[in-house]
């Protein structure tokens, strides 16, 4: 079975389990860290989130998300998710988009065809440089959306944990 088919099935199941389509407004309180699994942080609902130290040091996954965003997403969505003439401001979209909706949109793509303002996001469910790092992309954009991460490359970041290295190797086939 192709990896994209598997990923889409897993994403659809996850979306059902955590309430895809549920309306929510993300903010600093909702994004607060309540658990730490070897440097991978989660909020009270178990969704991936970011951790930024008082000195500006970001967690590894937020930094990785910045790097992946700039290698795969900024062509359409603009620098730092600030949008462009043909793709939305992701720093705004993540304020109301659930984690499940994010996964579903990135994996399966989206078409918005209306009033001659056609917008199509391709599916990235078969691109390992995206799907292996979807949580990283999500936490980077979430940090931007709630206003905790300024534009530009984070100046400091935590080291990559052994757990993150193992997950990356497993997904990328290393």
């Amino acid at each position: 079975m192709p990896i994209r088919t598997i990923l889409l099935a897993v994403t659809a199941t996850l979306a059902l389990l955590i309430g895809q389509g549920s309306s929510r407004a993300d903010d600093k309180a909702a994004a607060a860290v309540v658990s730490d699994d070897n440097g991978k942080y989660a909020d009270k609902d178990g969704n991936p989130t970011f951790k930024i130290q008082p000195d500006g040091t970001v967690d590894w996954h937020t930094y990785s998300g910045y790097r992946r965003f700039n290698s795969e997403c900024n062509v359409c969505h603009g620098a730092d998710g600030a949008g462009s003439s043909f793709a939305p401001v992701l720093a705004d979209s993540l304020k109301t988009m659930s984690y499940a909706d994010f996964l579903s949109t990135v994996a399966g793509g989206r078409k918005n065809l209306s009033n001659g303002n056609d917008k199509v996001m391709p599916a990235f469910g078969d691109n390992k440089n995206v799907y292996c790092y979807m949580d990283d992309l999500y936490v980077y954009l979430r940090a931007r959306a709630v206003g905790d991460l300024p534009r530009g490359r984070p100046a400091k970041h935590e080291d990559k944990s052994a757990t993150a290295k193992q997950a990356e190797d497993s997904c990328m086939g290393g």
Side-chain angles (χ1 to χ4, degrees):
M1 182 178 283
I3 190 75
R4 181 166 183 229
T5 303
I6 294 168
L7 180 62
L8 289 173
V10 169
T11 301
T13 302
L14 179 61
L16 289 172
L17 291 174
I18 61 177
Q20 180 178 10
S22 61
S23 172
R24 72 165 181 88
D26 206 1
D27 59 21
K28 293 179 187 209
V33 173
V34 298
S35 68
D36 174 0
D37 183 16
N38 294 313
K40 191 164 188 172
Y41 303 98
D43 65 17
K44 65 180 175 47
D45 296 323
N47 297 320
T49 197
F50 57 91
K51 183 174 182 184
I52 302 174
Q53 303 293 334
D55 70 354
T57 301
V58 300
D59 63 277
W60 172 260
H61 295 282
T62 298
Y63 177 70
S64 173
Y66 166 84
R67 292 176 56 220
R68 295 298 164 174
F69 181 87
N70 282 287
S71 71
E72 299 289 336
C73 310
N74 75 333
V75 170
C76 294
H77 289 285
D80 304 307
S84 71
S85 61
F86 49 89
V89 178
L90 292 180
D92 288 343
S93 297
L94 263 281
K95 290 177 184 177
T96 57
M97 180 180 274
S98 71
Y99 173 56
D101 285 341
F102 175 82
L103 293 176
S104 178
T105 300
V106 174
R110 175 180 284 173
K111 290 182 182 181
N112 185 2
L113 309 174
S114 63
N115 301 330
N117 188 17
D118 299 349
K119 295 184 179 180
V120 177
M121 178 171 161
F124 285 93
D126 56 359
N127 180 336
K128 284 187 177 186
N129 288 317
V130 174
Y131 78 74
C132 289
Y133 303 96
M134 279 213 246
D135 284 358
D136 296 0
L137 288 162
Y138 180 78
V139 298
Y140 164 68
L141 290 168
R142 189 175 194 190
R144 293 274 305 121
V146 302
D148 280 359
L149 188 64
R151 293 188 71 172
R153 183 183 186 101
K156 298 186 275 184
H157 60 81
E158 293 176 350
D159 292 333
K160 182 189 271 186
S161 69
T163 304
K165 174 91 172 101
Q166 289 170 343
E168 181 178 68
D169 289 348
S170 174
C171 188
M172 294 296 283

